[in-house]
Amino acid sequence: MTGQGTMTGKVFNGRYEIKDRIGIGGMAEVYRAQDSTLGRVVAVKVMLPQFAADPSFTQRFRQEAASAANLQSPYIVNVYDWGHDDDTYFIVMEFVRGSDLKTAIQQRGAINQRKAAEIGSQVCQALTVAHNQDIIHRDIKPQNIMVQPDGNVKVMDFGIARAKNSVNDKTSAVLGTAHYISPEQAQGKDLTAASDIYSLGIVLYEAATGKLPFDGPDAVSVAMQQVKDEPTPPSAINPDIDPDLEDIIMVALAKNPQARFATANDMRMALNDYLAGRPVTLPGGAGFTSARTQMIGAPVGVNTAAATAVMGGVAPVDGTQAMPVMHGGATSPSATGSFQATSYRDSHTAPKSKKPLIIAIAAVLAVALIAGIAFALAGGGATGEMVDVPNVTGKTQPEAKSELERAGFELGVVSSTFDENVEPGLVISQDPTGKAAKGSKVNLVLSQGDETVSVPDFYKMTPDQAKAAAEEVGLKAVERESGYSDSVEDGHIMDQSPSAGSSVAKGTEIEYVVSRGTELVQAPNVIGSTEEEAKSKLQAEGFGVDVRHDYSDKDKGTVFKQDPLNDKVKPGSTVKITVSDGPEENEVPDVSSGNMSESKATSTLKNAGFKVSTDSAYSSSVPKGNVISQSPSGGTAVPGSTVTIVISDGPEPTQEPTTPTTPDEPEPTPTPSPDDTDPGADTPDDPDDAQAPAN
C-alpha cells in the first residue's frame, strides 16, 4: 500500500477532494486537492495518526491553525480552512507552485548571495507580520521557504507555529528541526521573535555557503552545537561573500537573543541596505562597528546525558520533531546576557584551546556517573523478573509506549524505516519480543510508509523524456492535459504536479501539462472600414496596427488591404492595413498629333495607366488609321481612367446626284417647245389628248 493510496479520492468536509500526495514530513502529509466549492486547486495538510491521537497536540492544533489563518502577507502561504474529519485533523492551504529553498541549495550548492539576501528580506517581511500578532514560527528552515517561478518566496508551516502563551507543553519539549533551532529553543526556554531570527540566520548561512553551520550524526549532537559552539564564519567557506552580508548573518546567529536584531523588520532593513549598496546598520553601536560582527562565547555545563535521555535515543536529524530540553549544570550566558566578544574575521583561523573541551567532557562524564550511581541506589532499571513483553506492532508510538509502561517496561530507542505495507507512524517491529526482564527497555522501529523520492523537473522536456526521468526514480509520468504557452514550444512540458523537488512515494503518478505552443487567434476583417474604425476594432482585440496609404480605385479613406487577413497569428501581433488615397492622378500622353497609329496610341496610353476607348471619323488631313483627336486631351492631369481616341477613316468619299422615280408610273412626254412644233401637225383641242398613252 502507499501513503498516497490511503487518501486519494477522500473528500474532507464534503468539499476538498484529495488528488495525490505532494509531500511528507515528520508530523503531516501534504496532498494536492480540488476545492469543489470555489473550483480551485488547494494543498491539504493532514496530521499523521500518532499526532492526531494526542489530545494535547490536537488542542494546540485547533488554536494555532486558527491563528495561522489570520496571517495575511504576499510572502506567507495562505491558510484557507482547517477542520476535523473522521478523526483526522487537516489544514487547507494555498497551493504554491515552485520548489523549496532546500532543494535549490542541494542542487546548486551556494546560491547567488544577492538572491539569498532578497529571499531573506522577504522572509523577514513574513515574520514581521506574524510577530506583530505575537505568533512565533519556531520552524524556519529552507524546506519551509517555497521559491515560486517569479522568484518571490512563500513561507509555509505557520500551522505548527504557536501564539505566545497559547498552550503549554507538558514535557517542555519544543517543535523544530535540529539544524535550524535557536539555542534557547534547544534548552526549552520561552521563545521570542529572536528565535525565528536565529533560524533565518542559519538559512542564510546555508544559502550563502552551501553548508550548514552545525551538523552531526543525530539531533542531540546538532542541538548541543547550537547551544555551545560558535559557527565558522561564512567567509571561511565562501571567500567571495560580501562582508556586509556576512555581518548580517553573524548578528542573526548570536547566541544571546538580545545581541541579535531586535525585530525581523530591523533585519529586513539591514538586508535591504546591503542590496541597495547603502551602509548597513547593525545592532551594537560604535563598538560593534569597529570590531565588525562580534561572536558570542559558548555556554558551559550542558548536560549531554540528560539531553540524550530526554530524546529516548538517536533521533532523525532532518525532520521537524520534538526537541529535547537541554538544562545546563551551570547558568548559560544566553540567560545572563554575559558573553565573550571576539572578532570572528580576525580569529577564526587561530587554534582553539582544548582545555574548555576537556573540562566539558569531564563534567558530562561526572554528571553521567553520578546519575548512574543514584539511579542504581534508587533501585531503578530492570528487576531481573522475566515477564512477557507486549506485542505493540501495528500501534502508534504513543500507544506502544503506554502499553509497554503498563506492563512494566520502558521505551527504548525509536528508529524508523520505509515500509510500503505498514501505515506511516505505526510500529513495524520491536526488540525484544517474548519474555524480557521487567523494567528493561524495548526498542521500536516505526514505519515511514513508502520510500519517498524527489520528483524530477519535467519543464521543457518532451513526454518521452519525462517518462524516462520518472521511471529512473521509480515514478510514473502521465499526461493530464495540454495548454498554450508563449515560453514553451509545442510538444514540450509546461507544468507538472507534484512540483519538481517534491518528496513523494515511489510509484506516485506525476501529472504533466503539454504545451500546444502559442495560442493563435484570427484578426478581425476590417476591409471596407474607415481608418479610425479599423484601428479601433483591431486595438480592442489586442492587436497592434501598422497603417499605410496608397492609391486605388476605392473610396478615399477606406481600408482596401489587410495583412494578415484570414491567417491566425499570435495574440498581440501587428496587423498591416492599407488605406485608399483614391485614384492616382496621371498626366495624359498626347497621342493626337495625327502622325500616331491607333495601335501605337493605345500602347502609349495603357503604359501610362489609362484604359482606351476608340471611335472613328473621316478626315481629309489625317491618314486613315491614325489618331485624329483624344479626350481628355494630352497633357491633362487626371485620375487614372479611360481616354477616348478618334481614329481616321480617311477622306469622306464623293457621290453623283440622282432624281428619284416613282415605280409603276410612265415617264412624262416632254412638251415640245414652239420651235420644235411640226407645222403640219394639228393642235389638240381636247385636253385629254395632251398626253400620249404610255405604250
Side-chain angles (χ1 to χ4, degrees):
M1 60 172 285
T2 66
Q4 172 179 311
T6 61
M7 284 290 174
T8 300
K10 180 176 177 60
V11 179
F12 285 105
N13 280 9
R15 174 174 178 177
Y16 306 107
E17 182 183 356
I18 301 298
K19 296 297 185 182
D20 49 53
R21 189 172 69 184
I22 57 178
I24 183 170
M27 299 172 62
E29 292 177 306
V30 182
Y31 294 87
R32 180 174 66 91
Q34 182 71 29
D35 180 350
S36 60
T37 300
L38 297 179
R40 63 183 174 186
V41 177
V42 295
V44 176
K45 174 174 283 189
V46 181
M47 299 298 108
L48 292 174
Q50 61 266 39
F51 292 100
D54 184 344
S56 63
F57 177 84
T58 56
Q59 179 186 357
R60 186 177 65 207
F61 169 82
R62 289 193 297 270
Q63 179 174 338
E64 293 167 10
S67 298
N70 292 325
L71 298 178
Q72 299 295 321
S73 166
Y75 305 114
I76 295 177
V77 174
N78 290 315
V79 174
Y80 298 138
D81 194 5
W82 63 278
H84 178 249
D85 189 332
D86 194 21
D87 294 329
T88 300
Y89 287 85
F90 64 92
I91 300 174
V92 182
M93 304 175 296
E94 173 185 6
F95 183 80
V96 181
R97 299 190 182 277
S99 62
D100 61 78
L101 180 58
K102 185 70 173 181
T103 300
I105 296 172
Q106 289 173 337
Q107 291 176 345
R108 308 175 194 171
I111 66 175
N112 179 280
Q113 56 186 306
R114 289 189 61 82
K115 183 59 183 176
E118 290 173 0
I119 290 172
S121 175
Q122 293 181 3
V123 175
C124 283
Q125 291 194 37
L127 291 176
T128 298
V129 171
H131 294 168
N132 286 343
Q133 296 190 37
D134 285 336
I135 292 178
I136 313 302
H137 189 287
R138 299 192 305 159
D139 199 21
I140 291 294
K141 57 185 178 181
Q143 294 92 325
N144 282 337
I145 299 172
M146 290 294 293
V147 182
Q148 302 175 95
D150 63 2
N152 290 321
V153 304
K154 290 267 189 181
V155 180
M156 302 191 300
D157 271 3
F158 274 95
I160 69 162
R162 186 174 67 189
K164 289 171 66 176
N165 304 319
S166 59
V167 179
N168 292 323
D169 290 319
K170 293 180 181 179
T171 63
S172 298
V174 292
L175 292 171
T177 305
H179 285 122
Y180 304 95
I181 61 170
S182 64
E184 60 270 27
Q185 192 171 5
Q187 293 174 294
K189 297 182 178 180
D190 289 339
L191 301 185
T192 65
S195 179
D196 285 344
I197 290 173
Y198 181 93
S199 299
L200 179 56
I202 292 186
V203 170
L204 292 180
Y205 185 109
E206 185 181 9
T209 65
K211 296 182 180 296
L212 286 159
F214 305 113
D215 201 0
D218 54 67
V220 172
S221 62
V222 176
M224 291 286 291
Q225 293 175 56
Q226 301 282 18
V227 175
K228 68 184 182 66
D229 290 351
E230 296 178 5
T232 301
S235 57
I237 302 171
N238 179 9
D240 296 329
I241 191 169
D242 188 283
D244 283 337
L245 180 58
E246 183 175 35
D247 283 346
I248 292 171
I249 294 171
M250 297 304 277
V251 169
L253 291 181
K255 300 295 183 188
N256 183 351
Q258 295 180 351
R260 301 171 200 153
F261 293 97
T263 66
N265 193 53
D266 288 346
M267 185 173 178
R268 180 185 68 84
M269 290 190 293
L271 288 166
N272 288 348
D273 285 343
Y274 157 69
L275 289 168
R278 297 187 293 264
V280 175
T281 303
L282 299 171
F288 188 96
T289 303
S290 61
R292 300 297 294 175
T293 305
Q294 302 299 318
M295 284 304 301
I296 297 151
V300 297
V302 178
N303 189 338
T304 308
T308 305
V310 172
M311 288 300 293
V314 178
V317 182
D318 294 330
T320 300
Q321 57 205 284
M323 292 303 303
V325 179
M326 299 187 178
H327 300 291
T331 304
S332 166
S334 63
T336 64
S338 61
F339 60 93
Q340 178 183 2
T342 59
S343 173
Y344 67 84
R345 214 180 294 279
D346 296 331
S347 63
H348 73 265
T349 56
K352 295 182 179 179
S353 170
K354 296 183 179 179
K355 186 175 181 180
L357 178 60
I358 295 171
I359 294 172
I361 293 173
V364 168
L365 293 175
V367 171
L369 178 62
I370 293 169
I373 293 171
F375 187 67
L377 291 175
T383 63
E385 179 186 358
M386 301 298 288
V387 295
D388 289 329
V389 180
N391 181 2
V392 294
T393 57
K395 299 183 183 297
T396 65
Q397 182 177 335
E399 291 170 344
K401 182 175 183 292
S402 177
E403 189 167 338
L404 289 169
E405 289 176 346
R406 283 198 304 269
F409 294 92
E410 294 183 13
L411 181 63
V413 175
V414 179
S415 59
S416 62
T417 188
F418 296 108
D419 191 323
E420 64 178 15
N421 297 313
V422 180
E423 288 275 4
L426 301 185
V427 177
I428 300 173
S429 62
Q430 64 184 73
D431 181 32
T433 58
K435 289 185 179 292
K438 191 173 184 178
S440 61
K441 292 184 177 181
V442 178
N443 301 323
L444 303 179
V445 178
L446 300 180
S447 171
Q448 295 181 26
D450 281 357
E451 182 179 357
T452 58
V453 295
S454 181
V455 177
D457 189 352
F458 295 163
Y459 186 63
K460 292 189 176 180
M461 284 186 178
T462 64
D464 287 343
Q465 291 171 334
K467 289 175 182 177
E471 289 173 2
E472 188 174 344
V473 294
L475 302 174
K476 297 178 182 177
V478 295
E479 182 175 346
R480 182 174 74 219
E481 57 185 338
S482 61
Y484 293 106
S485 172
D486 292 336
S487 57
V488 179
E489 64 179 300
D490 185 19
H492 291 245
I493 293 173
M494 57 186 283
D495 197 10
Q496 69 183 86
S497 178
S499 59
S502 300
S503 293
V504 298
K506 278 193 172 182
T508 299
E509 289 188 348
I510 311 301
E511 297 179 337
Y512 58 83
V513 181
V514 178
S515 170
R516 298 207 298 264
T518 301
E519 182 177 10
L520 301 180
V521 294
Q522 187 166 317
N525 186 337
V526 295
I527 290 179
S529 304
T530 65
E531 179 179 342
E532 290 305 316
E533 288 172 346
K535 288 169 64 177
S536 177
K537 187 180 295 186
L538 289 167
Q539 290 171 349
E541 296 194 23
F543 292 95
V545 184
D546 179 6
V547 180
R548 304 179 181 190
H549 289 262
D550 201 356
Y551 294 107
S552 79
D553 58 356
K554 304 299 180 184
D555 292 340
K556 185 175 182 179
T558 60
V559 177
F560 71 96
K561 283 184 183 178
Q562 174 181 333
D563 182 28
L565 180 56
N566 295 317
D567 295 331
K568 288 190 174 183
V569 295
K570 291 182 179 180
S573 298
T574 297
V575 176
K576 298 176 183 177
I577 60 173
T578 305
V579 179
S580 174
D581 283 338
E584 183 179 8
E585 292 188 351
N586 295 328
E587 185 174 318
V588 180
D590 187 357
V591 296
S592 60
S593 62
N595 297 320
M596 189 174 293
S597 66
E598 177 184 357
S599 59
K600 185 174 181 181
T602 300
S603 175
T604 300
L605 290 169
K606 286 183 176 180
N607 290 339
F610 294 93
K611 296 178 181 178
V612 179
S613 172
T614 60
D615 200 353
S616 62
Y618 293 111
S619 173
S620 58
S621 59
V622 176
K624 184 177 181 179
N626 285 4
V627 178
I628 302 172
S629 62
Q630 67 183 82
S631 178
S633 59
T636 305
V638 297
S641 58
T642 301
V643 176
T644 300
I645 56 176
V646 179
I647 309 300
S648 173
D649 283 340
E652 183 177 6
T654 57
Q655 296 181 356
E656 292 293 332
T658 59
T659 300
T661 59
T662 302
D664 300 329
E665 289 186 3
E667 291 185 8
T669 301
T671 302
S673 65
D675 294 334
D676 295 332
T677 302
D678 183 0
D682 292 334
T683 300
D685 295 328
D686 187 352
D688 294 333
D689 294 332
Q691 185 170 334
N695 292 329

